[in-house]
Amino acid sequence: MNYKIEGAIKRNKKNFIIFAILWIFIAIVFVSPFAHSSYVAGQSEKMDLEVFIQTFGESLGQPLQTFGKVFSEGATSNYFSTLLVTTIIYSVFFFIGFVRSAPKNEFTDIEHGSSDWSQGGEQYRILNKNKGIILAENNYLPVDKRGNVNVLVVGRFRFW
């Protein structure tokens, strides 16, 4: 199970940064106008939809000023509650994408013929890192080794 988490993290390194930037963008451009508009529309006894729509349209045009108005006019509790709901929904969608990007098995994305089959340098008990007959990237079969140094190449060679 650990390979799934490690594989998903390896695949999504860039997505974590994009996730954070997009979350900040949503928090400023969409959540602050929504929170400010709902605060202004709800100042009377009941929620006035016409005031909400008018204020929301104006607030979307100036998101940074609206972000400042949220804190200056006292709509912070409304903003943080809206931000919490938005963050939970956004995180659920990100988590679903993260889980779906996990490798299906332990050998997903491992190139055939690479040295990824070994862990922590154990291949260098037999192979060499620097010189010899090339087997894979950074893996050479030493020619000065005692014993059998025959190489069997499995695969095909194409040219046309």
Side-chain angles (χ1 to χ4, degrees):
M1 182 65 180
N2 194 20
Y3 67 88
K4 287 191 175 196
I5 295 170
E6 289 175 4
I9 289 172
K10 188 186 294 185
R11 284 184 179 182
N12 291 311
K13 283 182 181 177
K14 294 177 193 171
N15 293 343
F16 289 132
I17 296 169
I18 293 170
F19 169 77
I21 292 170
L22 190 58
W23 180 80
I24 292 169
F25 178 78
I26 288 172
I28 293 173
V29 175
F30 294 113
V31 174
S32 63
F34 183 83
H36 180 259
S37 301
S38 63
Y39 175 75
V40 170
Q43 284 182 340
S44 62
E45 293 178 9
K46 63 178 187 169
M47 182 79 162
D48 190 2
L49 186 62
E50 185 177 323
V51 172
F52 173 79
I53 292 172
Q54 180 182 3
T55 310
F56 187 67
E58 294 170 1
S59 298
L60 277 177
Q62 303 169 339
L64 294 176
Q65 290 177 349
T66 305
F67 188 68
K69 286 181 185 178
V70 164
F71 296 104
S72 65
E73 294 180 7
T76 55
S77 64
N78 197 3
Y79 173 74
F80 286 120
S81 64
T82 306
L83 184 63
L84 179 67
V85 170
T86 305
T87 302
I88 290 170
I89 293 170
Y90 189 63
S91 298
V92 165
F93 281 112
F94 184 77
F95 183 73
I96 290 170
F98 181 78
V99 169
R100 292 195 59 168
S101 71
K104 303 299 179 224
N105 59 38
E106 195 171 350
F107 304 106
T108 302
D109 292 338
I110 293 179
E111 175 189 349
H112 299 293
S114 71
S115 63
D116 292 341
W117 51 266
S118 61
Q119 301 289 325
E122 67 185 359
Q123 75 267 25
Y124 297 121
R125 283 185 271 154
I126 301 168
L127 306 175
N128 191 340
K129 301 186 192 192
N130 302 322
K131 61 183 179 178
I133 300 170
I134 299 173
L135 297 177
E137 183 180 1
N138 297 329
N139 282 309
Y140 300 89
L141 181 64
V143 290
D144 58 349
K145 179 180 176 235
R146 298 182 104 196
N148 188 356
V149 291
N150 293 333
V151 177
L152 172 66
V153 178
V154 179
R156 58 183 154 200
F157 179 71
R158 289 188 185 182
F159 61 92
W160 37 100

